[in-house]
Amino acid sequence: MSVRITVWDLPLRLFHWLLVLAVTGSLVTINLGDSWMEWHGRFGLAVVGLIVFRLAWGVLGSTHSRFASFFPSPAAIARYCRGQWRGVGHNPLGALSVYALLGLFAFQAFSGLFASDEIAFSGPLSQAVSYSAVNTLSSWHRQTELWLYLLIGLHLLAIIAYRLRGRQLLGPMLHGKVETTEATEPRGGGAGAFTVALVVALAAVWLANGGWLQP
């Protein structure tokens, strides 16, 4: 008999949708011209905070929010490709997508802290590194934007493909529940863990914003 359990906890779902908003805002504002660069930076800081929160929640959160629960080992990927993988939460290929997106979002956000176009925008930490480092990080920040569009596109295509096969990925990320015969309710990830993860994320935003640097 199948049961309906909460797999994606509320903090994870909030992180997901806030990250969607922050990344969308960042991509939109970078294409609106110099007058929007200040907002581009603000969205970038939001991404920094969200990524740090997710890293903390990947250790402190409930069962299926923890990175250890969906690490895409070669053996797990092989079982999935043979149709032998069983479980709830991210399947091994979905896990690869999660790790790739989080890694690229993190790189874009943190490199943006040091980037500068020498006209309308300088990242809040650009004064903390050398001119050569700023130029290098600025170049990397621009060059990897294409990869960002590519991975987001693949992510959306996967959602559509699963929907065409009769599987719903979007719904569980809204209400957090899936039907399963093989799992119990996730454990951990209570209010104390959420408070710690939130404090860590806010501290990261404060550091990323460069308020601690000497004028």
Side-chain angles (χ1 to χ4, degrees):
M1 179 181 296
S2 64
V3 293
R4 190 172 173 85
I5 66 170
T6 300
V7 173
W8 308 127
D9 55 41
L10 180 59
L12 181 63
R13 301 194 315 267
L14 288 174
F15 156 79
H16 179 272
W17 294 112
L18 288 173
L19 185 64
V20 170
L21 290 175
V23 170
T24 300
S26 181
L27 292 176
V28 169
T29 51
I30 195 62
N31 291 291
L32 289 180
D34 293 347
S35 61
W36 286 89
M37 288 303 296
E38 184 175 348
W39 276 101
H40 178 72
R42 290 170 179 169
F43 282 119
L45 284 173
V47 173
V48 169
L50 288 165
I51 291 295
V52 171
F53 175 85
R54 182 64 183 98
L55 293 176
W57 199 244
V59 177
L60 303 172
S62 61
T63 303
H64 300 293
S65 297
R66 297 177 184 175
F67 294 123
S69 72
F70 61 93
F71 182 77
S73 67
I77 295 171
R79 288 196 303 272
Y80 180 78
C81 293
R82 293 195 299 263
Q84 298 173 345
W85 181 84
R86 297 291 181 272
V88 295
H90 295 297
N91 64 54
L93 291 186
L96 283 175
S97 173
V98 169
Y99 280 97
L101 283 168
L102 288 178
L104 188 55
F105 288 154
F107 179 82
Q108 280 292 93
F110 284 95
S111 63
L113 299 175
F114 302 92
S116 174
D117 63 5
E118 300 184 348
I119 300 174
F121 178 78
S122 290
L125 300 184
S126 59
Q127 59 181 305
V129 297
S130 67
Y131 181 77
S132 175
V134 168
N135 285 340
T136 299
L137 289 167
S138 300
S139 177
W140 289 350
H141 187 71
R142 291 189 297 269
Q143 291 173 11
T144 52
E145 184 179 345
L146 178 60
W147 290 100
L148 199 62
Y149 288 116
L150 178 62
L151 283 181
I152 291 173
L154 290 174
H155 186 65
L156 295 176
L157 285 175
I159 293 173
I160 295 171
Y162 270 80
R163 185 69 183 91
L164 292 175
R165 294 171 57 187
R167 297 188 61 184
Q168 179 62 264
L169 296 181
L170 190 59
M173 197 48 74
L174 291 170
H175 50 67
K177 297 183 180 295
V178 299
E179 289 191 5
T180 180
T181 60
E182 301 181 11
T184 58
E185 284 284 348
R187 297 181 178 181
F194 174 78
T195 301
V196 172
L198 182 61
V199 169
V200 170
L202 292 174
V205 172
W206 180 79
L207 290 171
N209 199 32
W212 50 275
L213 292 174
Q214 292 294 328

